[in-house]
Amino acid sequence: IKAETLAEKNLIYNTSECDQITELSSILSESRFNEVQARLRSAGMRSGFCCIFYGAPGTGKTETVYQLARQTGRDIMRVDVDKIKSCWVGESEKNIKALFDRYRNICKNSKLAPILLFNEADAVLGVRMEGVARAVDKMENSIQNIILQEMETLEGIMIATTNLTTNLDKAFERRFLYKIRFDKPSVESRAKIWQTMLPDLSEHDAHILASQFDLSGGEIENIARKHSVNAILKGNDSIDVHEIINSCRHERLSQNNRPKIGF
């Protein structure tokens, strides 16, 4: 994914996430990154940057990678793990090795090292299994071992995104230099997201929606998109707050997002 094709998007973070992402963005800038890598090499340390963004779905992990790439002018080599896996014995291991070989070649021929993005990497970051007998389990362990070895010698930038929060293999945990947890947005952050997604929404209504519905940024964006579709169908751009409320109530299939008493 070319950096120049990435659209700018205003992401709203909680304070702790914002500070860490701002710091990472600064480090990944061309001049600062070269300086940091040179210092690490002179100290005999690994110069590669491996980061993990983890937390609940819809909290902006993948979009944050896109925005970091856009801000720092770095292309993205996106990896969808499921597409690498093969039903043929040994093919998955060859695919993952070829992936890292390709990334190394791209880095050698690029002014800026691209970001190697392992998106939704839950399948390869879990605890490795011991005493496995099934071929598929052996394959999973082999893939994990190859990735761990490659992370040791990586000279570029690798970012993994995952919803995994409790079952991360300790070997992976040690190799990630930056570990940024993406929490559900606070009430204040949700209100800002509502107003970013629906600029015509009043500050008062945005705060009420944020207070009563514990939605992620992705869920709020989904509702905003639904509003845009309805506006086209009805030929009316005005915001019907009751319609937005109804959309909030039905956003989650589990129906566990009912508003608090007193809405």
Side-chain angles (χ1 to χ4, degrees):
I1 304 172
K2 295 295 184 182
E4 61 267 21
T5 67
L6 296 166
E8 182 176 1
K9 193 168 185 178
N10 182 25
L11 298 179
I12 308 297
Y13 301 107
N14 296 323
T15 303
S16 60
E17 299 151 11
C18 185
D19 292 344
Q20 294 178 84
I21 292 162
T22 300
E23 179 182 343
L24 186 57
S25 178
S26 174
I27 291 172
L28 294 185
S29 65
E30 182 178 2
S31 58
R32 183 63 61 84
F33 188 70
N34 291 339
E35 178 187 349
V36 169
Q37 279 199 314
R39 182 168 295 188
L40 288 172
R41 289 192 189 104
S42 66
M45 299 180 183
R46 296 196 305 270
S47 61
F49 264 64
C50 295
C51 315
I52 183 169
F53 295 171
Y54 68 100
T59 48
K61 300 182 293 294
T62 303
E63 188 58 46
T64 294
V65 181
Y66 290 163
Q67 294 307 308
L68 284 172
R70 186 191 62 78
Q71 292 163 11
T72 59
R74 298 182 185 276
D75 297 339
I76 295 175
M77 183 173 168
R78 174 170 165 153
V79 182
D80 289 312
V81 177
D82 288 341
K83 294 180 181 178
I84 287 178
K85 293 181 180 178
S86 169
C87 61
W88 303 106
V89 175
E91 283 299 313
S92 297
E93 293 88 336
K94 290 179 183 177
N95 289 342
I96 203 75
K97 287 178 181 176
L99 165 75
F100 280 98
D101 286 342
R102 183 185 172 201
Y103 179 70
R104 270 190 291 271
N105 287 332
I106 293 174
C107 286
K108 287 178 183 177
N109 297 308
S110 302
K111 181 183 178 183
L112 288 177
I115 295 172
L116 180 62
L117 169 59
F118 275 78
N119 198 46
E120 298 182 357
D122 306 55
V124 293
L125 297 182
V127 175
R128 286 166 293 170
M129 294 170 281
E130 297 181 3
V132 295
R134 295 191 309 157
V136 66
D137 294 332
K138 291 180 180 178
M139 179 266 289
E140 295 283 356
N141 280 359
S142 295
I143 289 177
Q144 289 177 311
N145 288 331
I146 292 168
I147 295 173
L148 287 168
Q149 292 166 10
E150 293 288 352
M151 290 172 73
E152 284 288 324
T153 58
L154 185 82
E155 294 191 354
I157 303 159
M158 171 181 163
I159 302 179
T161 68
T162 176
N163 300 330
L164 193 68
T165 55
T166 58
N167 198 36
L168 181 65
D169 192 290
K170 294 297 181 184
F172 280 109
E173 188 173 337
R174 289 194 301 272
R175 284 167 173 80
F176 285 117
L177 184 61
Y178 280 82
K179 309 173 185 72
I180 301 180
R181 175 175 172 172
F182 285 68
D183 289 315
K184 286 278 188 75
S186 64
V187 173
E188 291 75 17
S189 294
R190 285 200 297 272
K192 290 178 182 177
I193 294 171
W194 275 114
Q195 288 198 287
T196 299
M197 295 294 177
L198 297 172
D200 293 333
L201 192 68
S202 71
E203 184 176 341
H204 176 263
D205 287 338
H207 186 76
I208 288 178
L209 289 168
S211 300
Q212 300 302 324
F213 293 97
D214 182 21
L215 297 168
S216 69
E219 288 169 326
I220 294 173
E221 182 177 17
N222 215 27
I223 292 168
R225 290 175 63 207
K226 189 182 295 183
H227 166 74
S228 296
V229 171
N230 289 337
I232 293 171
L233 293 176
K234 296 177 181 178
N236 183 2
D237 288 332
S238 62
I239 292 180
D240 184 338
V241 176
H242 294 291
E243 188 176 278
I244 300 295
I245 291 170
N246 191 51
S247 294
C248 291
R249 287 172 174 156
H250 292 91
E251 176 58 23
R252 292 181 184 166
L253 297 177
S254 60
Q255 297 297 312
N256 63 351
N257 196 52
R258 295 174 182 173
K260 301 171 187 176
I261 294 173
F263 188 91

